[in-house]
Amino acid sequence: MKFKGVIFDLDGVICFTDDLHYLAWKALADRLGIYFDRKINDRLRGVSRMESLDIVLERASRVYSAEEKIALATEKNATYVELLSKMRPSDVDDDVRRTLVELKEAGVKIAIGSSSKNARIILRQTGLEQTFDAISDGNNISRSKPDPEVFLKAADMLGLSSCDCLVVEDALSGIEAGKAGGFSTAGIGPAANFPLTDYALSTLSDLLPLVFFSH
Ligand code: BG6
Ligand code: MG
């Protein structure tokens, strides 16, 4: 076995909550009259809620106070949580479920390493709450990706060192965080082709041979 553990980002890797983040930010930006599109949304991948808001507000015509920003982030999160409440187990692809089952059956430890404070809600909605051996998320970190903290904590929870774990990400900040922590990285979606990405995945199950066989 090449890796003893796999640490998965959640939004955009295990499920398509990246699109729900987009819809919630878009609703806020539209209400404020600020231009926002999917290309800008790509810059929010892996980035914390407040840092994401700062990116959304880059195109605002006025400056917002710290109190106003908290209210705006709360408004976006309320929209997002409402969208999450409609998520179902069927929102997780069969390929993703099969990948997780095969890793577990082979004795590979699996963890979530997500910047989101809503990670547990998403895992509950999709029926994955009991699937992972460890969950490291936005509630147990003080520094966001590209800082490696969230992945180092996940590896620690698994009882593994970073050189034994593969980090799977869709975000540049996440790939940078993985490399900064000494992990091997696999990129999916936009992250498949970043220079720092060690392995490009076109679908999640592409990681199975990487984990099971030495290269
Ligand atoms: C990351 C997403 O997983 O979580 C980011 O890629 C998001 O887009 C971040 O901003 C924080 O999420 P939340 O749910 O705590 O607002
Ligand atoms: Mg992501």
Side-chain angles (χ1 to χ4, degrees), residues 86-104:
K86 299 184 184 103
M87 283 191 88
R88 296 288 173 264
S90 57
D91 288 315
V92 175
D93 278 358
D94 288 345
D95 182 75
V96 172
R97 285 189 187 277
R98 181 172 75 81
T99 304
L100 299 177
V101 166
E102 290 203 22
L103 289 172
K104 281 173 80 92

Side-chain angles (χ1 to χ4, degrees), residues 8-15 17-18 21 44-47 113-115 145 168-174 188:
F8 294 92
D9 173 52
L10 180 61
D11 299 316
V13 170
I14 297 295
C15 49
T17 36
D18 47 340
H21 275 295
L44 312 186
R45 290 176 189 272
V47 175
S114 167
S115 306
K145 300 171 188 174
V168 189
E169 263 291 348
D170 69 318
L172 178 58
S173 61
I188 194 161

Side-chain angles (χ1 to χ4, degrees), residues 30-41:
D30 284 353
R31 186 182 75 67
L32 298 174
I34 298 171
Y35 179 78
F36 184 70
D37 62 19
R38 285 179 192 277
K39 193 154 178 280
I40 302 171
N41 190 61

Side-chain angles (χ1 to χ4, degrees), residues 7 109-113 120 133-137 139-141 149-161 165:
I7 303 172
K109 298 275 183 214
I110 57 174
I112 289 290
R120 282 182 192 271
D133 300 296
I135 298 169
S136 176
D137 65 18
N139 298 298
N140 68 281
I141 53 168
E149 183 182 13
V150 74
F151 294 135
L152 291 172
K153 289 215 164 133
D156 199 47
M157 288 176 193
L158 295 178
L160 298 173
S161 59
C165 298

Side-chain angles (χ1 to χ4, degrees), residues 7 16 18 26 33 43 54 57 63 65 68 82 89 101 114 121 136 142 145 150 152 183 201 206-207:
I7 303 172
F16 300 118
D18 47 340
K26 176 78 178 145
R43 291 175 55 207
D54 282 335
L57 294 180
V63 174
S65 70
E68 285 176 311
E82 173 65 24
V101 166
S114 167
I121 298 179
S136 176
S142 51
K145 300 171 188 174
V150 74
L152 291 172
F183 297 87
L201 309 177
D206 288 348
L207 68 80

